[in-house]
Amino acid sequence: MENSRRTFIKQAALAGAGVMLAKTSWSAKSYKRIMGANDRVRVGVVGFSDRHKGAHIPCFMDHYKALNFEVVAVSDIWKNRRDEGAGIWKQKMQNDVKAFRNNDELYDSRSVDAVFISTADFQHARHAIEAVKAGCDAYVEKPFAETMEDNRAALKAIKESGKIVQIGSQRRSGANYQAANEFIHSGKFGPITMVELTWNVNQPGRWRRPEILGSLKEADTDWKRWIMNRPYEAFDPRKYLEFRLFWPYSSGLPGQWMSHQIDTVHWFSDLKHPRSVTANGGIYMWKDGRRNWDTITAVFDYGPLDDLSTGFQVTFASRMHNGDEHPAEIYYSNGGELNLITNKVSPTGGLTEKMAAAMGMKANLLPVIDLASAAPVVASANTGGDELTSNHVRNWMECVRSRKQPHAPVEAGYSHSIANIMTNAAVHTGYKATFDEATQEVMANGKVFKYA
């Protein structure tokens, strides 16, 4: 047992170190094969959002010199953010940063090799398509897609392009998550029987932007371009700036928070999506005109589609009116639990030897194991340059250089989007949602789920 523990800790440490070791792992031969390997990578910003300003900027600044990257352009359809973004990046980079009114102008200029995409939730997939078709690699924030139409189109375009796309599921760049994935795949944990995911906060102003609503004028932006492929509505600065509160521009809690946590389920289990989803909840506290719930519980059935006798349940519960801002992920087997709050594997709740003996069984008692040292998951409205996102941005930058697949490739985004859209279907129809493998459509009450 002790040798097993030492081996696991050593493997976990290597998994964590891999994030930083990758920058020295290129061979001279492979480096020379990369077009422009000795050139600076020119980066554009698609959407100068709060997420970009609060997280991408400090994380990029951690690594841009070592990897020879620079930001040279900002594209934003709102004049205020376009000018602010170009000004901030010019000061950071100490070089000229051009401001573009839209992505057509940005890509027509042929001035960028890669882009950060951090626009409204429903725009991510479409903006990713634009990027790769323009020949750019991309770091694309989650949720990747809020409809299967967008999800399928983006997966196809990215796969055909061969471009490096990192989905913003930064848990995949955390040493503790990498170690947990390795331990579960080793078989020592046993079959997963249940996963509990929770994300609770008490943040009255979360996703609200009252201080800048008055400064957004329709004449200073391009409302029709912002709407993209959603049903037309009259210009509304709340929907533009507070989109996370308004379906169909965002699903809110599932797209923003569940997409992070459900991604680890797919990663650890090698399953691409749930077999079914049900959901309940409502707007119980924040009666501010929002469309998206402030409280939700979603229940998922996971397992192989061709064997319904095996599988496990996942629950996601989230509320915005009472919480400690410490997202929780606990994996259970009959031998114990893998707890990503404490970052320990333990026999807690597992079948004891006495219980097993009474049943004529052999107990699979888990040892107490510390996972790799953890970077904290930040649940505040402004995460800043947190360690997980910094590692994730660096991994993307390294993969742009090496042309290797990043930690969260497009398939990860496609999968978490299926789970997200299935949850939306359950929320908006009241029926159990399933997934049709043949058509790659989310179904509810025997019908293809449509957002409008």
Side-chain angles (χ1 to χ4, degrees), residues 13-56:
L14 287 173
V19 174
M20 302 305 295
L21 289 174
K23 68 177 186 287
T24 59
S25 64
W26 316 318
S27 69
K29 184 177 180 181
S30 64
Y31 192 78
K32 289 178 181 177
R33 284 201 303 268
I34 304 167
M35 186 174 66
N38 296 316
D39 296 332
R40 186 165 294 178
V41 176
R42 304 166 302 168
V43 178
V45 175
V46 174
F48 191 75
S49 62
D50 292 340
R51 173 64 178 169
H52 180 77
K53 183 163 56 175
H56 295 167

Side-chain angles (χ1 to χ4, degrees), residues 4-284:
S4 174
R5 183 176 184 274
R6 282 198 298 267
T7 300
F8 173 71
I9 292 172
K10 181 180 179 181
Q11 290 171 339
L14 287 173
V19 174
M20 302 305 295
L21 289 174
K23 68 177 186 287
T24 59
S25 64
W26 316 318
S27 69
K29 184 177 180 181
S30 64
Y31 192 78
K32 289 178 181 177
R33 284 201 303 268
I34 304 167
M35 186 174 66
N38 296 316
D39 296 332
R40 186 165 294 178
V41 176
R42 304 166 302 168
V43 178
V45 175
V46 174
F48 191 75
S49 62
D50 292 340
R51 173 64 178 169
H52 180 77
K53 183 163 56 175
H56 295 167
I57 288 179
C59 294
F60 182 87
M61 296 301 289
D62 286 344
H63 310 296
Y64 81 100
K65 287 184 179 178
L67 293 166
N68 199 17
F69 277 59
E70 68 175 338
V71 170
V72 299
V74 172
S75 169
D76 198 298
I77 58 176
W78 183 23
K79 183 180 185 299
N80 290 27
R81 281 185 168 165
R82 180 167 67 245
D83 293 344
E84 179 190 11
I88 287 175
W89 273 117
K90 184 175 182 178
Q91 188 275 327
K92 295 284 187 184
M93 294 285 96
Q94 292 296 297
N95 58 233
D96 185 37
V97 175
K98 295 181 180 179
F100 293 95
R101 293 179 302 172
N102 55 56
N103 295 343
D104 290 343
E105 289 186 357
L106 170 67
Y107 296 128
D108 286 347
S109 74
R110 299 184 182 277
S111 60
V112 294
D113 309 301
V115 291
F116 279 108
I117 295 173
S118 57
T119 46
D121 289 357
F122 75 103
Q123 298 170 343
H124 293 163
R126 290 288 166 178
H127 284 158
I129 293 170
E130 291 177 356
V132 298
K133 287 189 173 181
C136 290
D137 300 314
Y139 185 103
V140 185
E141 273 300 339
K142 38 55 54 194
F144 182 58
E146 295 269 23
T147 69
M148 283 309 303
E149 177 188 7
D150 291 348
N151 205 21
R152 291 190 302 268
L155 176 69
K156 182 176 185 290
I158 291 167
K159 295 296 288 181
E160 289 177 350
S161 74
K163 291 301 174 181
I164 300 300
V165 172
Q166 175 90 294
I167 306 302
S169 300
Q170 61 263 26
R171 278 166 169 74
R172 293 195 179 222
S173 291
N176 56 323
Y177 286 94
Q178 292 169 348
N181 176 56
E182 191 172 325
F183 184 73
I184 288 174
H185 276 96
S186 73
K188 296 174 185 175
F189 186 64
I192 298 169
T193 55
M194 176 84 181
V195 184
E196 291 180 347
L197 310 173
T198 58
W199 194 310
N200 301 317
V201 303
N202 196 348
Q203 300 170 353
R206 189 66 180 252
W207 302 338
R208 296 292 308 272
R209 298 292 182 270
E211 69 282 359
I212 59 172
L213 284 175
S215 62
L216 176 60
K217 309 298 182 185
E218 186 172 6
D220 292 331
T221 188
D222 188 336
W223 176 247
K224 288 184 179 179
R225 187 181 285 268
W226 189 87
I227 287 283
M228 297 187 81
N229 61 350
R230 294 303 188 263
Y232 183 78
E233 293 186 85
F235 173 74
D236 185 342
R238 284 204 70 192
K239 294 183 178 69
Y240 190 110
L241 294 172
E242 300 178 347
F243 60 86
R244 294 178 180 89
L245 302 176
F246 296 98
W247 177 260
Y249 312 115
S250 170
S251 57
L253 295 171
Q256 281 294 305
W257 294 342
M258 189 195 80
S259 61
H260 277 304
Q261 295 186 321
I262 210 71
D263 175 64
T264 66
V265 175
H266 299 156
W267 182 23
F268 295 173
S269 69
D270 293 323
L271 294 169
K272 295 181 179 180
H273 58 77
R275 290 190 292 213
S276 67
V277 185
T278 58
N280 212 329
I283 302 171
Y284 298 123

